[in-house]
Amino acid sequence: FSILENYYYVSPLVGVFFLALTPIWIIVAAKHPATRTVLYSGWEPVITAMVISSIGGLILDTTVSDPNLVGIVVYTPVINGIGGNLVAIQASRISTYLHLHSIPGELPDERKGCYYPFRTFFGSGVNHKSAQVLLLLVIPGHLIFLYTIHLMKSGHTSLTVIFVVVFLFAAVLQVFTLLWIADWMVRHFWRKGKDPDSFSIPYLTALGDLLGTALLALSFHFLWLIGDRDGDVGD
């Protein structure tokens, strides 16, 4: 990174190098039956997920450009990583359940109407219970990471009570929304005869990045507006 300012051609050369390797990886992937399927059908979700994640990156870049809100940088990987991992677990569980109890194109528990949140989190099924457990993991998980960041003195933001409350609210809202979307999206792709593991998880993790970054940016703006600033936010 230190030489990019003086040697602008280094970055394009790195990109060209990896592009030149692409045919090799295509040949390798085409030789195995499992990866051959993804090679032909997995481009749409990956490219779309890249676009969604890029929108989150633009939000982060805009927020970081404000010197008062630069503290968001440390917490973005935390909220995005935890949210993306939790929803990926739920998507995989629902996908496995569908593989075990039905065939592609048919749902074992066909349900009418909209996928409102109560249908995702309230019920006696294994997928309902896993959604509840994953949602309950959000607060203790984030508290551990927040305390770790505080101990390492890595953040630009001191842990005030209002900051922790607002951050945890954003994190819970992110995971709540992702689990709700996952409940619909996995079944949607299954009904269309597509493998949810290959199609839904890229979308969900990208949405996790977008939601996490957007909610975190809103949280930092809110904290700044209510006066939780100076040494607390972005100093």
Side-chain angles (χ1 to χ4, degrees):
F1 287 106
S2 60
I3 66 172
L4 290 180
E5 292 183 1
N6 297 325
Y7 304 96
Y8 63 90
Y9 55 84
V10 172
S11 185
L13 278 178
V14 173
V16 171
F17 171 75
F18 283 108
L19 284 175
L21 292 177
T22 302
I24 299 175
W25 308 136
I26 291 176
I27 294 171
V28 173
K31 289 184 177 181
H32 195 282
T35 52
R36 189 184 304 126
T37 303
V38 180
L39 183 64
Y40 292 112
S41 63
W43 292 100
E44 175 192 339
V46 171
I47 293 175
T48 307
M50 288 173 58
V51 174
I52 296 173
S53 295
S54 297
I55 297 173
L58 291 174
I59 296 174
L60 178 62
D61 185 61
T62 302
T63 306
V64 170
S65 63
D66 186 342
N68 297 320
L69 305 176
V70 72
I72 191 176
V73 173
V74 172
Y75 300 98
T76 303
V78 176
I79 193 169
N80 290 350
I82 291 180
N85 287 328
L86 291 179
V87 74
I89 292 172
Q90 179 69 352
S92 294
R93 287 183 61 88
I94 299 174
S95 177
T96 301
Y97 176 84
L98 294 174
H99 276 97
L100 291 174
H101 294 88
S102 66
I103 60 175
E106 298 181 6
L107 292 175
D109 52 348
E110 184 66 50
R111 300 184 294 181
K112 306 293 183 181
C114 299
Y115 281 85
Y116 51 89
F118 286 101
R119 296 177 69 170
T120 301
F121 295 96
F122 296 96
S124 57
V126 292
N127 294 323
H128 296 98
K129 292 180 180 179
S130 65
Q132 296 166 10
V133 171
L134 291 172
L135 189 62
L136 290 174
L137 288 174
V138 175
I139 291 180
H142 275 291
L143 286 176
I144 292 172
F145 278 101
L146 288 176
Y147 186 63
T148 302
I149 292 172
H150 177 67
L151 287 179
M152 296 176 65
K153 302 186 184 299
S154 300
H156 298 278
T157 303
S158 59
L159 294 184
T160 62
V161 174
I162 185 64
F163 171 79
V164 174
V165 170
V166 172
F167 180 87
L168 291 178
F169 176 78
V172 171
L173 181 59
Q174 176 211 26
V175 176
F176 178 88
T177 306
L178 288 173
L179 292 174
W180 174 25
I181 295 173
D183 191 34
W184 163 80
M185 185 176 288
V186 172
R187 290 180 169 84
H188 170 74
F189 284 120
W190 184 264
R191 192 183 296 114
K192 287 182 169 293
K194 298 179 179 179
D195 184 6
D197 287 319
S198 299
F199 282 83
S200 65
I201 292 180
Y203 285 114
L204 291 169
T205 52
L207 284 172
D209 292 344
L210 177 59
L211 279 174
T213 305
L215 290 171
L216 197 57
L218 289 174
S219 299
F220 270 70
H221 279 288
F222 173 74
L223 289 168
W224 182 259
L225 288 174
I226 65 174
D228 193 47
R229 54 181 75 173
D230 192 30
D232 296 331
V233 178
D235 188 3

